[in-house]
Amino acid sequence: MSYNIAIDGPAGAGKSTIAKKIAKQMNYIYVDTGAMYRAMALFLIRNGVTKEDTEKIEQVCKKADISIEYRDGEQIVLLNGENVNGLIRTEEVGNMASVSSANGKVREKLVQLQKELAKKADVVMDGRDIGTCVLPEADTKVYLTASSAVRAKRRFDELTQKGESCDLDKIEQDIIERDHRDMTREISPLKQAEDAVLVDSSDMTIDEVVEKIISLCK
Ligand code: DC
């Protein structure tokens, strides 16, 4: 039987950084489910679908084949065979993903892929509904969060480091809006699973969070 760790939480809580480190230390596979929703969002944007057009989202998403591969330990998201890793980390794609991921047809497709991956291997999977829907039987479940101000500052630093100019207040506003959408949507909203351990990373270092989660697995 494979060992599954589920990490859920809002945008910018540090899920991917932490999940990657845990995967490395424990020799597990890291599955970034947000990247799959982002690849789908990119496909929708490329096909001229707008956030408001629910019907079109359902039609067009059927034509997207999303899969993942691992190269040198890094997850590569393939959209109809194309490596889109370098194209999905923009605010535009993130905001579209937050809207299109509320769609039942989009989720059906991607959740199935995620379940299959977790059956085959020991995984650390991060997202919004991993502990509640994708892997309800996960061996360790964590709900990782931080205040919106801290999350906005982390995102701001990340973008600034990449040389992108951005506005801290606007980022925090976007984060609050995205949280609200992710938490109030009808299908698989972001919420803490009853048996998940709450970890607030606002005043913790990355390594402290990693250690805490690894200790929960033992
Ligand atoms: O974690 P992220 O920012 O890369 O995720 C992008 C969007 O995808 C996010 O707004 C919510 C959605 N998402 C989801 O609905 N379910 C998941 N398991 C992962 C992400």
Side-chain angles (χ1 to χ4, degrees):
M1 275 280 277
S2 54
Y3 196 98
N4 293 165
I5 303 172
I7 304 181
D8 291 299
K15 297 187 297 293
S16 64
T17 308
I18 280 147
K20 264 186 218 161
K21 285 202 153 204
I22 295 171
K24 202 162 183 193
Q25 282 195 31
M26 296 182 71
N27 206 16
Y28 283 15
I29 286 177
Y30 165 53
V31 183
D32 173 359
T33 62
M36 299 177 192
Y37 289 96
R38 284 171 180 268
M40 180 63 86
L42 175 67
F43 183 74
L44 296 169
I45 293 169
R46 281 179 172 176
N47 281 277
V49 180
T50 60
K51 288 189 224 160
E52 293 72 30
D53 204 342
T54 315
E55 247 174 64
K56 205 143 179 231
I57 292 178
E58 288 196 358
Q59 280 167 13
V60 175
C61 85
K62 289 187 200 143
K63 294 186 220 146
D65 177 41
I66 291 167
S67 57
I68 64 172
E69 258 182 31
Y70 289 87
R71 293 185 200 156
D72 298 328
E74 193 201 351
Q75 173 182 295
I76 309 284
V77 188
L78 300 170
L79 170 60
N80 295 331
E82 175 193 353
N83 174 354
V84 293
N85 271 30
L87 303 170
I88 56 176
R89 297 286 153 203
T90 64
E91 293 300 292
E92 186 197 10
V93 171
N95 287 330
M96 181 63 172
S98 165
V99 175
S100 53
S101 63
N103 191 287
K105 288 274 179 291
V106 169
R107 301 202 75 80
E108 226 172 79
K109 238 180 131 125
L110 299 181
V111 167
Q112 197 194 340
L113 172 63
Q114 292 155 12
K115 283 180 190 264
E116 281 165 17
L117 287 164
K119 229 188 259 171
K120 284 190 278 189
D122 294 330
V123 297
V124 185
M125 188 177 285
D126 77 351
R128 304 294 190 285
D129 61 336
I130 311 306
T132 51
C133 296
V134 181
L135 307 176
E137 307 296 334
D139 303 277
T140 300
K141 293 184 188 178
V142 172
Y143 189 84
L144 183 65
T145 190
S147 69
S148 61
V150 167
R151 289 185 285 129
K153 179 69 169 58
R154 288 179 186 160
R155 181 82 187 125
F156 176 83
D157 290 343
E158 199 179 288
L159 290 170
T160 315
Q161 254 176 23
K162 277 199 251 169
E164 289 177 38
S165 68
C166 50
D167 178 76
L168 185 58
D169 288 339
K170 167 85 173 66
I171 292 178
E172 185 171 359
Q173 206 46 50
D174 274 356
I175 281 184
I176 291 169
E177 264 172 44
R178 196 188 299 184
D179 287 353
H180 181 74
R181 255 198 314 263
D182 294 347
M183 287 171 175
T184 56
R185 70 183 178 210
E186 224 167 281
I187 312 171
S188 311
L190 166 65
K191 70 165 190 244
Q192 184 180 344
E194 270 174 29
D195 50 351
V197 177
L198 176 71
V199 177
D200 186 328
S201 73
S202 303
D203 298 313
M204 289 170 88
T205 64
I206 290 168
D207 287 337
E208 281 169 350
V209 178
V210 169
E211 251 174 59
K212 162 97 190 156
I213 297 177
I214 291 179
S215 75
L216 291 173
C217 299
K218 288 174 182 158

